[in-house]
Amino acid sequence: MNVSYERCAGAELFTAGGRRMLDFLSGYCVYNAGHNHPAIIAAVKEELDRSGPTMLQSHVPHLAAELAQRLAQLAGGRLSRVFFTSSGSEGVETAIKFARAHTRRDGMLYANHAFHGLTCGALSLMSDEYWREGFGELLPGTQGVPFGDLDALKTVLATKRFAAFVVEPVQAEAGIQVPDAEYLRQAQELCRRYGSLFVLDEVQTGMFRTGRFLAAHHFGLDPDMVVVAKALSGGLVPVGAVLMSEAVSDSVFKSLKRAFVHASTFGENSLAMRAGLATLDVLEHQRLGERATRMGEILRKQLRDALAPFEMIEEVRGLGLLNGISFGAPRQVRLRVPWEAFRHVHPAMFGQVIVMRLFRDFGILTQICGNSFGVLKAAPPLLVSEEQIAEFVAAVRQVVEIAHRPGEFWSEALGMARRAAIG
Ligand SMILES: Cc1ncc(COP(=O)(O)O)c(C=O)c1O
């Protein structure tokens, strides 16, 4: 992936070497509105030209109020207050503090294999050792439960030690895990029963990625807090937001004396707010949520049809334009031997060779999931066209076909791995 890009527009990236690449990763769900949308760029430029108070900290930030109102209206339910951050991780940190303040409990519950960010608090809500190792003691009182397991959730919540259950409505890095329709509703109900807050991390799933403004809307949920970030910036100015109920917000900012106990210098900066407002305009006016639903269905159907003959394909799954292609071990001995050799080098090697082939031979940018190496992502900008979907599907089919033949796919990669080990 060592190429330099000269220009990025919509779902396409143009390299200095004259190649045109198709983006099916979207910066891990940043580019819902596509790369460098002209309307978002114009809004940010206009804001710069205005020479207004960008981060004065001592004024009434009108743009922040406007964006907060738009977000609250789109989210609905009890989510009437907004705290702005500069990243998803900072949003999760905020949710941890607010949940603790509201419930006066310290414990935090999360779903195993989640990805919530790499600051200390957010990292404390992630089970995978890869991310935690080497960084010492993290937050005490945190505990993971299997995603989708209501019995486990009930047992732990019933101890009444937990301030909140933080969960991605569709687990992204865990391998695009779409839960059973009832799971999240019941989880919310259990949280209410045992006095814990129900907090959704919609950093990847929010902003129409799954077809609705929030993935919560597919499941009829009414969470106490929701964290969004990534796509809210339009890919231009970092921004995150924690949407919450009035009760939760009031438990932190409950008096004039405590009006500043939680704050962030860059949080409400006017460039980020302007980018966020312009991004919402684009997503809504271009009806990119409806498009995500329609294109997601087309993408999954085409992938399922094209990949049906191949034994290493376990499943194509997803919601809207957050999709994954899950690979499993081959049965044929002639493929099993190199598969095991790959696994021996690194558990992510098979997926990375697929990614490398798609990139190098077909001009497609994507990645495998961070906590589930056997799942390839298919998450293009929401304005992706049917032609671009067909191009992606044809490329994936060809790479999968090559991987099902003993020979070049495997030998080239093992050669590379050997050279890397020697080097
Ligand atoms: C679901 C989820 N939550 C939180 C984060 C952290 O966001 P950030 O990288 O903006 O801190 C990420 C980042 O990938 C994410 O995927």
Side-chain angles (χ1 to χ4, degrees), residues 87-89 115-117 168 201 203-204 230:
S87 70
S89 306
F115 192 100
H116 292 303
E168 299 157 83
D201 176 342
V203 169
Q204 287 209 37
K230 291 198 190 274

Side-chain angles (χ1 to χ4, degrees), residues 165-226:
F165 176 46
V166 181
V167 66
E168 299 157 83
V170 175
Q171 282 196 315
E173 297 310 319
I176 318 294
Q177 306 293 347
V178 184
D180 173 283
E182 267 307 297
Y183 169 64
L184 292 169
R185 262 198 299 271
Q186 301 271 345
Q188 175 180 287
E189 156 65 26
L190 286 172
C191 285
R192 300 263 145 84
R193 188 184 311 166
Y194 295 112
S196 302
L197 297 184
F198 182 60
V199 179
L200 294 179
D201 176 342
E202 295 236 23
V203 169
Q204 287 209 37
T205 53
M207 309 298 297
F208 298 103
R209 168 59 53 186
T210 68
R212 309 288 296 271
F213 175 61
L214 297 175
H217 296 153
H218 290 285
F219 304 104
L221 302 171
D222 185 16
D224 299 288
M225 276 191 269
V226 170

Side-chain angles (χ1 to χ4, degrees), residues 8 35-48 234 236 275 278:
C8 309
H35 289 265
N36 296 312
H37 196 289
I40 307 175
I41 290 188
V44 172
K45 280 186 179 163
E46 200 180 296
E47 188 54 39
L48 277 172
L236 291 172

Side-chain angles (χ1 to χ4, degrees), residues 299-300 303-304 307 313-318 323-326:
L299 174 64
R300 285 188 296 281
L303 280 172
R304 283 178 189 138
L307 301 178
I313 301 296
E314 284 179 342
E315 194 183 15
V316 172
R317 56 176 177 258
N323 296 285
I325 304 165
S326 166

Side-chain angles (χ1 to χ4, degrees), residues 97-114:
K97 284 180 70 181
F98 280 52
R100 285 176 152 195
H102 185 71
T103 59
R104 296 278 156 206
R105 296 177 183 175
D106 283 352
M108 295 295 300
L109 202 55
Y110 59 88
N112 290 341
H113 307 302

